């Protein structure tokens, strides 16, 4: 997979993390490479992406898709920025509704 940059990759990882209820840790926080691993010690899932030397695109280099961990209910990556990005269109389209209508 090819991404526009490290920020887009981080957003996609956060979306995946929240959707599948897993807790990940971004191991390397540099703008040209990022390693993502689950916090659970028994899980071998791994995702590594970096900038390609030839094309300059940010792409996935290593991916191990097998999970051995259980889904979690708490997630540190689900913050106000992610919620705002996910629900912005709904909130803007229903601007006459009060805040209490959006509560679950």
């Amino acid at each position: 997979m090819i991404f526009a940059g490290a920020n887009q990759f981080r957003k996609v990882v956060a979306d995946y993390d929240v959707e599948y209820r897993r807790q990940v840790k971004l191991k390397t926080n540099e703008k040209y490479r990022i390693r993502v691993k689950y916090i659970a010690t028994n899980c071998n899932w791994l995702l590594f992406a970096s900038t390609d030397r030839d094309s300059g695109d940010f792409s996935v280099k290593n991916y191990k898709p097998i999970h051995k961990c259980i889904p979690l209910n708490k997630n540190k990556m689900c913050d106000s920025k992610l919620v705002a990005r996910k629900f912005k269109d709904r909130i803007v389209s229903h601007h006459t509704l009060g805040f209490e209508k959006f509560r679950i």
Side-chain angles (χ1 to χ4, degrees):
M1 295 185 80
I2 298 173
F3 300 94
N7 289 334
Q8 183 190 15
F9 179 74
R10 285 186 186 101
K11 288 178 183 177
V12 170
V13 167
D15 291 344
Y16 178 87
D17 189 36
V18 171
E19 184 177 340
Y20 290 101
R21 297 176 29 210
R22 311 283 184 173
Q23 184 68 41
V24 299
K25 181 176 182 181
L26 298 170
K27 290 261 186 182
T28 308
N29 194 14
E30 299 173 357
K31 62 181 178 180
Y32 62 90
R33 66 181 179 151
I34 299 173
R35 183 180 307 272
V36 182
K37 188 159 176 65
Y38 278 99
I39 289 181
T41 57
N42 62 343
C43 188
N44 293 330
W45 189 92
L46 175 74
L47 182 63
F48 178 75
S50 64
T51 304
D52 189 26
R53 290 181 186 171
D54 298 331
S55 66
D57 294 330
F58 200 81
S59 61
V60 174
K61 305 289 184 181
N62 192 359
Y63 177 55
K64 295 181 183 177
I66 299 172
H67 284 285
K68 292 184 181 178
C69 54
I70 59 171
L72 302 171
N73 289 330
K74 293 184 179 182
N75 194 328
K76 291 182 180 180
M77 294 196 76
C78 185
D79 58 358
S80 60
K81 290 180 184 178
L82 184 126
V83 172
R85 187 168 37 94
K86 288 284 199 184
F87 295 106
K88 178 184 176 184
D89 295 333
R90 287 188 197 176
I91 293 169
V92 170
S93 66
H94 295 11
H95 58 84
T96 58
L97 293 177
F99 177 72
E100 57 275 348
K101 298 288 183 181
F102 286 101
R103 291 186 182 176
I104 297 174

